[in-house]
Amino acid sequence: MKIYNTLTRRKEEFEPITPGKVGIYVCGPTVYDFIHIGNARPMIVFDTLRRYLEHKGYEVNYVTNFTDIDDKIINRSIEEGIPASEVSEKYIAECKKDMEALNVRPATVHPQATKEIPEMLEMVQTLIDKGHAYEKNGTVYFKVRSFKPYGKLSHKNIDDLESGHRAEAHALKVSGEDEKEDSLDFVLWKPKKEGEPFWKSPWSEGRPGWHLECSCMSKKYIGETLDIHAGGEDLIFPHHENEIAQSEAASGAEFARYWMHNAFLRINGDKMSKSLGNFFTVRDICKQYDPQVVRFFMLSAQYRTPLNFSKELVEDSAKGLERILNGAEKLKSIEEKKNGRFITDAEQKILEEEVPKFIERFDEAMDDDLNTSDAISIIFELIRFTNANTDEKSSSDFAGCLYRVLFELCDKVLGIHIEKKADEIDSSEVERIEALIAERTAAKKEKNFARADEIRAQLLEEGIILEDTREGVKWKKA
Ligand code: AMP
Ligand code: ZN
């Protein structure tokens, strides 16, 4: 697989440090409010990366944090008159609900900054001991000029940065950071203000800087060198540049081998963001559209291409997804009807010669820096192909094989459910319901109507409605 690496500005062949295993760290949201659909882009994109790597046989350790202490959270806690921890816990829970709706799988670990303070104190101390950090009036700063490669990720020249910062001298004075030895230096630890949450440290009662948490948590849950570090492109500078400086200065080892950054979700050409006020929360959008449509829309563009959010484009995605779901439904219904036909030579030939080409082309698209846009086009081609090559007379096994290919690519890898009716039910539950339906069909055939009615009543009690149609029994949640 080739990945575009922000560090080298080239697409590079992906090679993990340990064969067969991949450690990925993705910067997560600051939890002071509901997430907006711009925040959902990295969640969906990198969840798809994880799924694709698993499809290729890798064991993936996927770590993504929640920033649960920050000025915005503290401001919110003051506004609402509740502790900061209550604000963050509430929005972590809400964010997890949104992720579940968007079929973003839970990470291997979701670390939270406030639960990892000892590791952060240790890293700050290491940086001080190695001469990369210093303390002034309870604040600890990272000494940027002590880390020679500073700027390597964002491709910025340290002297240009310095002159930019001098122009901001007034802003530094306002924030109280004019005591820094160098205007480039950034905060590792800052003292509390009156009434703010704090943790004890050798330098002051205070809290960690934002950049520090990702350096510490990625090291703890993945290791000193990450295979892939990802996030939105706004994080390249200063957040990721500072993470590199802290981690590499502390460990001496390379921090991350591949850096992936998603482009923005835009609205009328502007970045969707809280500060511009031009955002829609995931919660609100999912009231208007099926969350699967939102996920499908998000993957309709390759992740480094800006994507404009508009009603028209989301509705196009809804129509596209409908075509895929209809194609899947057709295959499923042929498979389930079990018309008693054996797989024919022609069908066998298609499975052996034609279908692998679609899988290969899908993988080629995904191998090309996760080109989900091309991968979706190939799924559309596959649907056209299965629609043209199946009908009532196709064998159940043939339709079943085609269905499973579609399921692997669309449902498992892209995370887009292909079954219309079973979207809220897990697969073991689907199997159980379908076994009961099969039993009911068999009972009816044997004229055991009492048992057939009993099964219908039992499922109805569980909120499952059965419909006898010409294509067989269909079911849905009430
Ligand atoms: P934040 O809570 O602002 O730190 O954002 C969490 C994640 O969402 C980061 O990876 C950001 O880069 C990303 N993000 C924020 N806004 C957008 C947007 N409009 N489009 C794409 N990604 C975004
Ligand atoms: Zn981060």
Side-chain angles (χ1 to χ4, degrees):
M1 176 181 196
K2 281 201 158 57
I3 288 181
Y4 180 89
N5 189 349
T6 310
L7 197 61
T8 56
R9 290 183 162 167
R10 278 191 290 114
K11 278 188 197 168
E12 293 174 5
E13 194 56 42
F14 174 66
E15 277 170 28
I17 302 162
T18 310
K21 295 192 174 179
V22 187
I24 306 179
Y25 185 88
V26 183
C27 294
T30 306
V31 279
Y32 67 104
D33 207 340
F34 287 96
I35 56 163
H36 61 70
I37 49 172
N39 302 134
R41 189 169 191 196
M43 289 177 181
I44 293 172
V45 159
F46 298 117
D47 173 66
T48 306
L49 170 71
R50 172 199 195 174
R51 288 164 176 271
Y52 182 61
L53 289 170
E54 286 177 355
H55 158 85
K56 286 175 83 84
Y58 289 105
E59 189 186 310
V60 182
N61 178 11
Y62 189 84
V63 180
T64 182
N65 68 308
F66 288 113
T67 296
D68 64 347
I69 187 69
D70 159 278
D71 286 343
K72 294 184 196 119
I73 298 173
I74 293 173
N75 291 341
R76 187 87 192 213
S77 84
I78 295 167
E79 272 166 39
E80 297 195 6
I82 53 174
S85 56
E86 212 173 293
V87 173
S88 58
E89 289 306 325
K90 173 179 175 190
Y91 290 110
I92 287 173
E94 298 298 350
C95 179
K96 285 186 174 169
K97 284 186 210 160
D98 289 336
M99 287 166 68
E100 195 184 340
L102 295 168
N103 204 18
V104 170
R105 283 169 44 203
T108 317
V109 199
H110 283 283
Q112 290 171 233
T114 61
K115 298 187 177 157
E116 311 288 345
I117 302 290
E119 286 76 7
M120 296 195 221
L121 297 179
E122 198 183 306
M123 189 175 277
V124 174
Q125 191 59 57
T126 304
L127 290 170
I128 294 176
D129 294 346
K130 290 192 167 182
H132 289 292
Y134 57 94
E135 186 256 347
K136 278 265 166 80
N137 301 320
T139 304
V140 184
Y141 294 99
F142 185 90
K143 202 187 277 192
V144 167
R145 282 195 184 271
S146 75
F147 182 70
K148 289 283 167 279
Y150 193 83
K152 68 175 174 178
L153 178 71
S154 51
H155 305 273
K156 286 183 192 289
N157 176 301
I158 203 161
D159 294 316
D160 293 346
L161 284 170
E162 183 86 68
S163 54
H165 272 259
R166 267 199 296 272
E168 292 165 15
H170 175 66
L172 289 179
K173 211 170 190 125
V174 173
S175 67
E177 288 184 23
D178 54 336
E179 62 187 4
K180 294 194 281 195
E181 286 176 5
D182 187 325
S183 61
L184 285 175
D185 297 349
F186 61 87
V187 171
L188 297 173
W189 184 266
K190 65 169 153 191
K192 66 175 182 189
K193 289 197 203 105
E194 201 44 47
E196 286 185 354
F198 65 89
W199 290 264
K200 285 199 166 64
S201 84
W203 318 288
S204 60
E205 291 185 337
R207 59 187 160 102
W210 171 39
H211 315 302
L212 188 65
E213 63 178 271
C214 292
S215 281
C216 290
M217 299 190 290
S218 59
K219 176 180 167 201
K220 179 166 172 186
Y221 294 103
I222 298 178
E224 269 177 357
T225 305
L226 317 175
D227 287 300
I228 300 173
H229 194 318
E233 65 181 1
D234 53 338
L235 300 186
I236 298 173
F237 187 85
H239 185 52
H240 289 163
E241 197 69 64
N242 291 355
E243 282 186 33
I244 293 178
Q246 296 163 153
S247 294
E248 297 193 356
S251 74
E254 184 182 18
F255 177 44
R257 300 180 63 193
Y258 301 85
W259 285 88
M260 296 176 77
H261 292 100
N262 64 275
F264 291 139
L265 181 75
R266 296 180 178 172
I267 189 151
N268 300 322
D270 292 322
K271 175 194 176 189
M272 179 178 288
S273 76
K274 279 264 158 63
S275 53
L276 291 174
N278 59 353
F279 64 92
F280 294 106
T281 62
V282 169
R283 196 58 58 87
D284 283 344
I285 286 297
C286 289
K287 282 182 198 145
Q288 253 175 291
Y289 304 100
D290 180 344
Q292 290 301 295
V293 170
V294 178
R295 184 171 178 120
F296 190 71
F297 162 75
M298 216 60 99
L299 295 178
S300 66
Q302 198 264 0
Y303 73 96
R304 287 192 299 115
T305 314
L307 175 61
N308 212 49
F309 180 81
S310 74
K311 200 167 178 287
E312 290 72 31
L313 288 176
V314 178
E315 279 166 10
D316 284 350
S317 290
K319 282 184 206 138
L321 184 56
E322 189 66 19
R323 268 193 281 149
I324 294 175
L325 300 189
N326 289 340
E329 198 173 31
K330 177 181 175 191
L331 294 176
K332 191 87 188 156
S333 94
I334 299 172
E335 183 193 14
E336 283 172 353
K337 210 175 299 159
K338 306 221 178 299
N339 60 9
R341 289 172 192 269
F342 289 109
I343 194 157
T344 64
D345 288 348
E347 288 175 342
Q348 192 65 40
K349 196 161 182 277
I350 286 178
L351 292 179
E352 281 167 16
E353 291 177 13
E354 299 299 320
V355 173
K357 287 187 203 153
F358 287 99
I359 303 174
E360 237 168 71
R361 289 176 55 223
F362 177 91
D363 282 2
E364 261 169 37
M366 296 293 273
D367 278 343
D368 183 13
D369 195 26
L370 207 72
N371 194 334
T372 51
S373 171
D374 284 359
I376 287 175
S377 306
I378 291 152
I379 289 189
F380 280 132
E381 284 182 39
L382 177 61
I383 290 290
R384 274 197 293 278
F385 181 85
T386 62
N387 281 342
N389 286 281
T390 54
D391 59 26
E392 299 293 292
K393 292 188 232 67
S394 304
S395 70
S396 167
D397 286 348
F398 178 57
C401 283
L402 294 175
Y403 182 85
R404 278 185 288 283
V405 169
L406 189 61
F407 184 87
E408 175 69 22
L409 305 185
C410 199
D411 204 305
K412 271 185 91 179
V413 177
L414 298 181
I416 293 163
H417 292 309
I418 59 167
E419 265 180 70
K420 279 183 184 173
K421 51 208 169 187
D423 55 358
E424 288 157 6
I425 306 172
D426 73 33
S427 58
S428 61
E429 190 55 6
V430 171
E431 269 174 34
R432 187 187 66 84
I433 293 168
E434 290 181 346
L436 278 171
I437 293 174
E439 192 190 332
R440 175 174 170 268
T441 308
K444 274 169 73 176
K445 257 197 195 133
E446 289 160 11
K447 307 226 178 305
N448 183 354
F449 297 112
R451 177 66 187 141
D453 287 347
E454 192 179 87
I455 291 171
R456 178 193 276 276
Q458 179 194 334
L459 287 171
L460 189 62
E461 206 161 284
E462 295 173 16
I464 308 291
I465 298 172
L466 302 188
E467 257 181 279
D468 291 307
T469 71
R470 270 197 296 154
E471 286 88 40
V473 182
K474 301 223 162 140
W475 62 275
K476 62 180 180 207
K477 280 202 95 171

